[in-house]
Amino acid sequence: MFALIATSKLVVAQELPLKKENAFKEGETLTYKLKYGFITAAEATIKVEPSDLKFDGKPTYKLVVDARTSGTFDVFYKVRDHYDSYIDKTTLTPYFYQEDIREAKYRRKDKARFYQDNKKVVANNGTYSTPTTQTFDLVSAYYFARSLDITKLKINDTFKLNYFLGDEISALEIQYVGKEILKTKLGTINCLKFSPSIKPGRIFKKDSKLYLWITDDGNRVPVKAEVEILVGSVTLEIKSAQGLKYPIGK
């Protein structure tokens, strides 16, 4: 689903505020399934693990993501992707990121070191300047966004997250759509609905929209995402959630 998100070339110097309490804790494990129409195409597990590593003397969380294709998709196009991100326990910004991508015959291993105070990222293929002291990899962006202070957001308001991917710094624009009640594997839950930007092209229809629903509670767990493509639709749905910081729905 991250691969469906657009990369806006406009990078902005926007500092984003956090809630007083993080939306997650060590031991949290979320599992998702990615569906193409009615067929489950892939599954992913996202974990917050304890970490003994310190960067600049500061303690970290270790974020771990594993994604793999399933069923028929695993026969024709096998995916085994693994991602690690080490983030500051207070600011939730990343210090170090690495990925091991195995998709069919394609292989890639990348690493990146984030120097937030110096506004730079040092990666395998070079050093990149960043516009703010809040620049993310895609994994850390997921957790940071969950802990944002959005109390002042109004319907149709937007905000941007700067992130490093591949060989450039980009900005993801996210629009707040409103509130909806959603039936999920975790129950019927009050949700906040957002629309991240996507890039029109060979995958999407001209008017395609990506929608994301997160629980309207202390956890801010993403429970569903969906987007129409040229042929059919792709949906990401939560399967299970363990080790949540707060009771679901509160």
Side-chain angles (χ1 to χ4, degrees), residues 163-188:
Y163 66 95
F164 172 76
L165 180 64
D167 59 358
E168 65 180 358
I169 306 293
S170 301
L172 172 65
E173 182 174 88
I174 303 172
Q175 180 185 35
Y176 174 54
V177 178
K179 296 185 178 183
E180 287 187 7
I181 298 175
L182 207 65
K183 290 184 178 180
T184 76
K185 288 290 186 179
L186 306 183
T188 301

Short mmCIF file of all heavy atoms in Angstrom, two decimals, residues 163-188:
data_model
loop_
_atom_site.label_atom_id
_atom_site.label_comp_id
_atom_site.label_asym_id
_atom_site.label_seq_id
_atom_site.Cartn_x
_atom_site.Cartn_y
_atom_site.Cartn_z
N TYR A 163 9.55 12.66 3.89
CA TYR A 163 10.16 11.35 4.06
C TYR A 163 11.21 11.10 2.98
O TYR A 163 11.19 11.69 1.90
CB TYR A 163 9.10 10.24 4.03
CG TYR A 163 8.40 10.06 2.71
CD1 TYR A 163 8.85 9.11 1.79
CD2 TYR A 163 7.29 10.82 2.38
CE1 TYR A 163 8.21 8.94 0.57
CE2 TYR A 163 6.64 10.66 1.16
CZ TYR A 163 7.10 9.71 0.27
OH TYR A 163 6.47 9.55 -0.95
N PHE A 164 12.14 10.19 3.34
CA PHE A 164 13.21 9.78 2.43
C PHE A 164 12.87 8.41 1.87
O PHE A 164 12.54 7.48 2.60
CB PHE A 164 14.55 9.72 3.17
CG PHE A 164 15.66 9.13 2.34
CD1 PHE A 164 16.26 9.86 1.34
CD2 PHE A 164 16.09 7.83 2.57
CE1 PHE A 164 17.28 9.31 0.56
CE2 PHE A 164 17.10 7.27 1.81
CZ PHE A 164 17.70 8.02 0.81
N LEU A 165 12.97 8.28 0.54
CA LEU A 165 12.72 7.00 -0.10
C LEU A 165 13.59 6.90 -1.35
O LEU A 165 13.52 7.76 -2.24
CB LEU A 165 11.25 6.87 -0.50
CG LEU A 165 10.84 5.56 -1.20
CD1 LEU A 165 11.04 4.37 -0.26
CD2 LEU A 165 9.40 5.62 -1.67
N GLY A 166 14.42 5.86 -1.37
CA GLY A 166 15.25 5.61 -2.56
C GLY A 166 16.39 6.59 -2.69
O GLY A 166 17.47 6.41 -2.13
N ASP A 167 16.15 7.67 -3.40
CA ASP A 167 17.22 8.64 -3.63
C ASP A 167 16.70 10.08 -3.60
O ASP A 167 17.25 10.96 -4.25
CB ASP A 167 17.91 8.37 -4.97
CG ASP A 167 16.95 8.42 -6.15
OD1 ASP A 167 15.74 8.63 -5.91
OD2 ASP A 167 17.40 8.25 -7.29
N GLU A 168 15.63 10.33 -2.84
CA GLU A 168 15.13 11.69 -2.76
C GLU A 168 14.30 11.92 -1.50
O GLU A 168 13.80 10.97 -0.88
CB GLU A 168 14.28 12.05 -3.99
CG GLU A 168 13.01 11.24 -4.12
CD GLU A 168 12.21 11.63 -5.36
OE1 GLU A 168 12.63 12.55 -6.10
OE2 GLU A 168 11.15 11.01 -5.58
N ILE A 169 14.19 13.19 -1.12
CA ILE A 169 13.31 13.62 -0.05
C ILE A 169 12.01 14.09 -0.68
O ILE A 169 12.02 14.92 -1.60
CB ILE A 169 13.92 14.78 0.77
CG1 ILE A 169 15.31 14.40 1.29
CG2 ILE A 169 13.00 15.15 1.92
CD1 ILE A 169 15.34 13.31 2.31
N SER A 170 10.90 13.56 -0.23
CA SER A 170 9.60 13.91 -0.79
C SER A 170 8.65 14.29 0.34
O SER A 170 8.99 14.17 1.52
CB SER A 170 9.02 12.75 -1.59
OG SER A 170 9.88 12.37 -2.63
N ALA A 171 7.47 14.74 -0.03
CA ALA A 171 6.46 15.11 0.96
C ALA A 171 5.14 14.43 0.62
O ALA A 171 4.69 14.48 -0.52
CB ALA A 171 6.27 16.62 1.03
N LEU A 172 4.56 13.78 1.61
CA LEU A 172 3.26 13.15 1.46
C LEU A 172 2.19 14.08 2.04
O LEU A 172 2.25 14.44 3.21
CB LEU A 172 3.24 11.82 2.20
CG LEU A 172 1.88 11.12 2.30
CD1 LEU A 172 1.38 10.70 0.92
CD2 LEU A 172 1.97 9.91 3.23
N GLU A 173 1.23 14.48 1.21
CA GLU A 173 0.14 15.33 1.67
C GLU A 173 -1.04 14.46 2.09
O GLU A 173 -1.44 13.55 1.36
CB GLU A 173 -0.29 16.30 0.58
CG GLU A 173 -1.38 17.26 1.03
CD GLU A 173 -1.70 18.32 -0.01
OE1 GLU A 173 -2.56 18.04 -0.86
OE2 GLU A 173 -1.08 19.39 0.02
N ILE A 174 -1.61 14.76 3.26
CA ILE A 174 -2.71 13.98 3.80
C ILE A 174 -3.87 14.92 4.14
O ILE A 174 -3.69 15.90 4.85
CB ILE A 174 -2.28 13.20 5.06
CG1 ILE A 174 -1.09 12.29 4.73
CG2 ILE A 174 -3.44 12.37 5.60
CD1 ILE A 174 -0.47 11.63 5.94
N GLN A 175 -5.04 14.59 3.63
CA GLN A 175 -6.23 15.41 3.86
C GLN A 175 -7.14 14.73 4.87
O GLN A 175 -7.38 13.52 4.80
CB GLN A 175 -6.99 15.63 2.56
CG GLN A 175 -8.26 16.47 2.70
CD GLN A 175 -9.04 16.56 1.41
OE1 GLN A 175 -9.08 15.61 0.63
NE2 GLN A 175 -9.63 17.70 1.16
N TYR A 176 -7.65 15.51 5.82
CA TYR A 176 -8.62 14.99 6.79
C TYR A 176 -10.01 15.07 6.19
O TYR A 176 -10.46 16.13 5.78
CB TYR A 176 -8.54 15.79 8.09
CG TYR A 176 -9.61 15.41 9.10
CD1 TYR A 176 -9.77 14.08 9.51
CD2 TYR A 176 -10.45 16.38 9.65
CE1 TYR A 176 -10.74 13.74 10.43
CE2 TYR A 176 -11.42 16.04 10.57
CZ TYR A 176 -11.57 14.71 10.96
OH TYR A 176 -12.55 14.37 11.87
N VAL A 177 -10.69 13.93 6.11
CA VAL A 177 -12.00 13.86 5.46
C VAL A 177 -13.16 13.98 6.44
O VAL A 177 -14.17 14.61 6.16
CB VAL A 177 -12.13 12.55 4.66
CG1 VAL A 177 -13.50 12.44 4.01
CG2 VAL A 177 -11.04 12.48 3.59
N GLY A 178 -13.01 13.37 7.63
CA GLY A 178 -14.09 13.44 8.62
C GLY A 178 -14.13 12.17 9.46
O GLY A 178 -13.15 11.43 9.55
N LYS A 179 -15.29 11.90 10.07
CA LYS A 179 -15.44 10.74 10.94
C LYS A 179 -16.46 9.77 10.35
O LYS A 179 -17.44 10.18 9.74
CB LYS A 179 -15.90 11.18 12.34
CG LYS A 179 -14.87 12.05 13.08
CD LYS A 179 -15.33 12.34 14.49
CE LYS A 179 -14.29 13.16 15.24
NZ LYS A 179 -14.68 13.40 16.66
N GLU A 180 -16.20 8.46 10.54
CA GLU A 180 -17.11 7.42 10.09
C GLU A 180 -17.09 6.27 11.08
O GLU A 180 -16.09 6.06 11.78
CB GLU A 180 -16.73 6.90 8.70
CG GLU A 180 -17.02 7.85 7.56
CD GLU A 180 -16.80 7.22 6.20
OE1 GLU A 180 -16.53 6.00 6.13
OE2 GLU A 180 -16.88 7.95 5.20
N ILE A 181 -18.18 5.52 11.13
CA ILE A 181 -18.24 4.29 11.92
C ILE A 181 -17.99 3.13 10.97
O ILE A 181 -18.62 3.02 9.92
CB ILE A 181 -19.60 4.15 12.61
CG1 ILE A 181 -19.83 5.30 13.59
CG2 ILE A 181 -19.67 2.81 13.36
CD1 ILE A 181 -21.20 5.30 14.23
N LEU A 182 -17.04 2.26 11.34
CA LEU A 182 -16.59 1.21 10.44
C LEU A 182 -16.66 -0.15 11.13
O LEU A 182 -16.29 -0.28 12.30
CB LEU A 182 -15.16 1.49 10.00
CG LEU A 182 -14.69 0.95 8.65
CD1 LEU A 182 -15.46 1.61 7.52
CD2 LEU A 182 -13.20 1.19 8.48
N LYS A 183 -17.14 -1.17 10.39
CA LYS A 183 -17.10 -2.54 10.88
C LYS A 183 -15.76 -3.15 10.52
O LYS A 183 -15.37 -3.15 9.35
CB LYS A 183 -18.24 -3.36 10.27
CG LYS A 183 -19.62 -2.98 10.77
CD LYS A 183 -20.68 -3.91 10.19
CE LYS A 183 -22.06 -3.56 10.73
NZ LYS A 183 -23.12 -4.45 10.17
N THR A 184 -15.04 -3.64 11.52
CA THR A 184 -13.72 -4.20 11.31
C THR A 184 -13.58 -5.51 12.09
O THR A 184 -14.47 -5.90 12.84
CB THR A 184 -12.62 -3.23 11.80
OG1 THR A 184 -12.56 -3.27 13.24
CG2 THR A 184 -12.90 -1.81 11.36
N LYS A 185 -12.43 -6.17 11.91
CA LYS A 185 -12.14 -7.38 12.68
C LYS A 185 -12.00 -7.09 14.17
O LYS A 185 -12.10 -8.00 15.00
CB LYS A 185 -10.85 -8.01 12.16
CG LYS A 185 -10.95 -8.68 10.80
CD LYS A 185 -11.79 -9.94 10.87
CE LYS A 185 -11.77 -10.67 9.53
NZ LYS A 185 -12.58 -11.92 9.58
N LEU A 186 -11.79 -5.82 14.51
CA LEU A 186 -11.67 -5.43 15.91
C LEU A 186 -13.01 -5.02 16.49
O LEU A 186 -13.09 -4.66 17.66
CB LEU A 186 -10.67 -4.28 16.05
CG LEU A 186 -9.28 -4.49 15.45
CD1 LEU A 186 -8.39 -3.29 15.73
CD2 LEU A 186 -8.64 -5.76 15.97
N GLY A 187 -14.06 -5.04 15.67
CA GLY A 187 -15.39 -4.62 16.10
C GLY A 187 -15.87 -3.42 15.29
O GLY A 187 -15.21 -2.97 14.36
N THR A 188 -17.04 -2.91 15.66
CA THR A 188 -17.57 -1.70 15.04
C THR A 188 -16.99 -0.50 15.78
O THR A 188 -17.22 -0.33 16.99
CB THR A 188 -19.10 -1.68 15.09
OG1 THR A 188 -19.60 -2.84 14.40
CG2 THR A 188 -19.65 -0.43 14.43
#
